């Protein structure tokens, strides 16, 4: 607790715990509409990792999501069955599997991206340029700390 009072520690702990929970809850309600009721938050994050550009292989997507290829395969099977994802074998190496979004998957991607855009715009309106820059620097540091825990 370097340089922190007990009050500061408790407040920061409470804010971080509530923030993570609230973001997941709000995102769930915002993006899983009637049109996308067959998707979970996890499905939306897989769709986001696949992206709308070029097809990606399974290991690239798994790395982006910090999961194993085996774990990703389970989610991918479901998304293929629901019609959001297209799975293709590589032309030079048939063992390689490439994943891309179907039109339905691209629509879900855009829906999810819209939620994120609205969230950022809403936060940005409330902060000065200086506050926004400080928030970004702080969140980058926080993200770096969380990412360092992947090695444990």
């Amino acid at each position: 607790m370097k340089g922190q009072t007990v009050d500061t520690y408790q407040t920061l702990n409470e804010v971080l715990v509530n923030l993570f929970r609230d973001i997941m809850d709000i995102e769930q309600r915002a993006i899983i509409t009637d049109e996308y009721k067959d998707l979970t938050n996890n499905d939306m994050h897989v769709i986001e990792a696949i992206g709308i550009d070029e097809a990606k292989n399974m290991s690239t997507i798994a790395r982006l999501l910090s999961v194993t290829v085996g774990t990703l395969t389970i989610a991918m099977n479901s998304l293929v069955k629901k019609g959001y994802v297209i799975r293709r074998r590589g032309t030079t190496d048939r063992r390689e599997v490439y994943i891309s979004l179907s039109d339905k998957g691209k629509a879900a991607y855009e829906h999810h991206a819209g939620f994120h855009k609205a969230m950022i715009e809403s936060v940005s309106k409330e902060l000065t340029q200086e506050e926004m820059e400080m928030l970004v620097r702080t969140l980058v540091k926080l993200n770096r700390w969380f990412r360092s825990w992947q090695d444990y």
Side-chain angles (χ1 to χ4, degrees), residues 52-117:
I52 55 175
D53 298 324
E54 61 191 40
K56 292 181 174 85
N57 65 27
M58 290 285 285
S59 56
T60 299
I61 299 166
R63 194 170 34 259
L64 289 169
L65 294 168
S66 301
V67 299
T68 66
V69 172
T71 297
L72 179 61
T73 299
I74 294 165
M76 209 56 75
N77 289 342
S78 172
L79 288 169
V80 168
K81 195 179 299 182
K82 294 174 187 177
Y84 289 95
V85 169
I86 299 165
R87 184 186 284 151
R88 290 192 179 96
R89 293 271 173 201
T91 53
T92 54
D93 184 349
R94 303 281 299 149
R95 294 172 297 176
E96 194 75 59
V97 176
Y98 290 93
I99 305 297
S100 59
L101 297 178
S102 65
D103 288 343
K104 185 177 178 182
K106 289 175 184 174
Y109 176 94
E110 294 297 341
H111 177 68
H112 187 216
F115 167 77
H116 283 254
K117 183 177 185 218

Side-chain angles (χ1 to χ4, degrees), residues 8-22:
T8 302
Y9 172 84
Q10 289 173 336
T11 301
L12 184 58
N13 181 62
E14 184 177 317
V15 167
L16 286 174
V17 168
N18 289 335
L19 183 63
F20 292 129
R21 185 188 61 237
D22 290 348

Side-chain angles (χ1 to χ4, degrees), residues 131-144:
E131 289 171 328
M132 194 65 181
E133 290 169 6
M134 177 62 80
L135 177 62
V136 169
R137 284 194 306 271
T138 302
L139 291 176
V140 165
K141 288 178 183 180
L142 186 61
N143 186 52
R144 194 177 306 131

Side-chain angles (χ1 to χ4, degrees), residues 33-68:
T33 60
D34 283 344
E35 185 177 2
Y36 301 108
K37 65 180 173 256
D38 61 338
L39 293 175
T40 64
N41 252 5
N42 185 56
D43 289 337
M44 279 293 198
H45 291 124
V46 172
I47 287 170
E48 179 182 41
I50 296 166
I52 55 175
D53 298 324
E54 61 191 40
K56 292 181 174 85
N57 65 27
M58 290 285 285
S59 56
T60 299
I61 299 166
R63 194 170 34 259
L64 289 169
L65 294 168
S66 301
V67 299
T68 66

